[in-house]
Amino acid sequence: MNAPDRYERFVVPEGTKKVSYERDTKIINAASFTIEREDHTIGNIVRIQLHRDENVLFAGYKLPHPLQYKIIVRIHTTSQSSPLQAYNQAINDLDKELDHLKNVFEAEVAKHARE
Amino acid sequence: MEGASYQRFPKVKIRELKDDYAKFELRDTVTSMANALGRVMIAEVPTIAIDLVEIEINSSVLNDEFIAHHLGLIPLTSDRAMGMPFSLDCDACDGDGQCEYCSVEFHLRAKCIIDQTLDVTSKDLYSSDHTVVPVDFSDSSGSEIHINEDLMQTLTLEEKRSWVESSPTRVFDIDPNTKQVVVVDPEAYTYDDEVIKKAESMGKPGLVDIYAKEDSFIFTVESTGAIKASQLVLNAIEVFKQKLDAVRLSEDTVEADEQFDELGAHMRGG
């Protein structure tokens, strides 16, 4: 009766932004990104990628509630970078890694087909 | 954009590849990537299935909703799925879900005129799109093990045999020529610690060291046949990239941040 509809997991309602960003008022170079209609699939991999950045002092994500389909990613960086930069960099690197994975996999499939 | 790229370069090695089954190794990447890829394959790669059933006549022994439910479970060949919009998102029919771009229509007609039970299967479903048909149902990361050789040499052959046998799965064996304990099948190891406990009880702790490799994974992908297993993995990577794209920061938040930055600097007296 109270269960949310299945499509709520991925349909962003009108007027809500997919990604929003809130700087921390008290700590410099710290921000929280709220990503609507996403879950651990994105959260965990982005967080791990952020850890690889040496300018990132803190990176974590959480699901405020399992029935509210959004994640909050919190990033603190050194003054050499900014949370925004770190976030974009992480996503770009993941994108490149996936491109590489796709090429490697396609090559393997072709190679396998030939044998 | 300053800063080096912190990208990884994963490697893939395919072990088995059939139409509906793929087994491959994924190396040089993190658990998160393997996990995320698996999650996307299970939940986010689009496939086509029967969603709405309109029943004109049903005088069979199975009731309407039973038939409708089971029709929904039939796997349909979904090569078109990646290029099709979801019914909710379809512009042509405005979310109606009945147009040619976002849906496929099937017809099922069966009448039993003989004295025996008539079998009605997915072969009796006629599709409006010949590339979307029921799947033709007529026709499967390692561990590292190190043996402490010096300590192993202090054991008699009998002791070695009893140690090798203490493992519930056949991981080790005694080489008939050299009479040494060798690792036969590291992947058979189920992390049960039996061999470790046996070594300790024999008074030889540290006889063997076993740890899991943290950066290689063995993927087993079994598909219903709706999409070929290899295509499923490629679709998953594509969907994953689309998700990452959706999550990028838009231009206006970046601008708002810069304005805030100036205001902040101004307020701090900068």
Side-chain angles (χ1 to χ4, degrees), chain B residues 121-126 134-138:
Chain B
T121 67
S122 56
K123 294 229 182 296
D124 300 302
L125 269 172
Y126 294 104
V135 171
D136 189 4
F137 50 86
S138 54

Side-chain angles (χ1 to χ4, degrees), chain A residues 19 21 23 33 38-39 41 44-45 48-49 52 84 87 89 92-93 96-97 99-100 102 108, chain B residues 1 4-8 10 12 14 26 29 32-33 39 234 238 241 243 246-249 257 260:
Chain A
V19 193
Y21 162 88
R23 291 182 63 163
F33 297 78
E38 287 296 343
D39 60 5
T41 309
N44 200 24
I45 191 79
I48 292 274
Q49 190 62 30
R52 306 197 80 222
L84 215 57
Y87 182 77
Q89 173 84 19
N92 289 335
D93 287 344
K96 283 192 257 180
E97 187 177 337
D99 273 330
H100 178 90
K102 183 159 156 213
E108 262 294 300
Chain B
M1 181 182 74
S5 162
Y6 304 103
Q7 181 196 350
R8 270 175 291 268
V12 173
I14 296 187
L26 180 65
T29 186
S32 279
M33 176 60 83
R39 281 175 74 101
L234 289 167
E238 203 44 55
K241 279 164 61 92
K243 279 169 77 77
V247 152
R248 279 217 165 85
L249 268 171
D257 180 55
F260 190 74

Side-chain angles (χ1 to χ4, degrees), chain B residues 182-222:
Chain B
V182 290
V183 177
V184 155
D185 187 2
E187 274 161 37
Y189 186 62
T190 50
Y191 297 94
D192 48 60
D193 281 351
E194 279 302 316
V195 285
I196 306 204
K197 284 188 268 191
K198 176 79 178 174
E200 276 167 23
S201 76
M202 279 164 60
K204 313 267 179 203
L207 187 59
V208 69
D209 230 338
I210 306 178
Y211 45 89
K213 280 207 282 221
E214 283 170 7
D215 65 350
S216 43
F217 312 95
I218 302 178
F219 265 87
T220 307
V221 178
E222 224 178 282

Side-chain angles (χ1 to χ4, degrees), chain B residues 13-67:
Chain B
K13 189 166 140 226
I14 296 187
R15 289 191 177 187
E16 263 182 74
L17 191 62
K18 290 186 266 196
D19 262 355
D20 60 350
Y21 181 88
K23 195 164 183 174
F24 62 95
E25 283 169 31
L26 180 65
R27 289 173 192 272
D28 295 344
T29 186
V30 274
T31 323
S32 279
M33 176 60 83
N35 191 33
L37 213 56
R39 281 175 74 101
V40 171
M41 277 192 252
I42 291 174
E44 310 225 26
V45 173
T47 50
I48 308 178
I50 294 177
D51 196 42
L52 177 70
V53 179
E54 278 170 19
I55 302 189
E56 269 173 48
I57 308 180
N58 175 22
S59 51
S60 70
V61 295
L62 307 168
N63 53 21
D64 289 354
E65 52 267 30
F66 183 94
I67 296 178

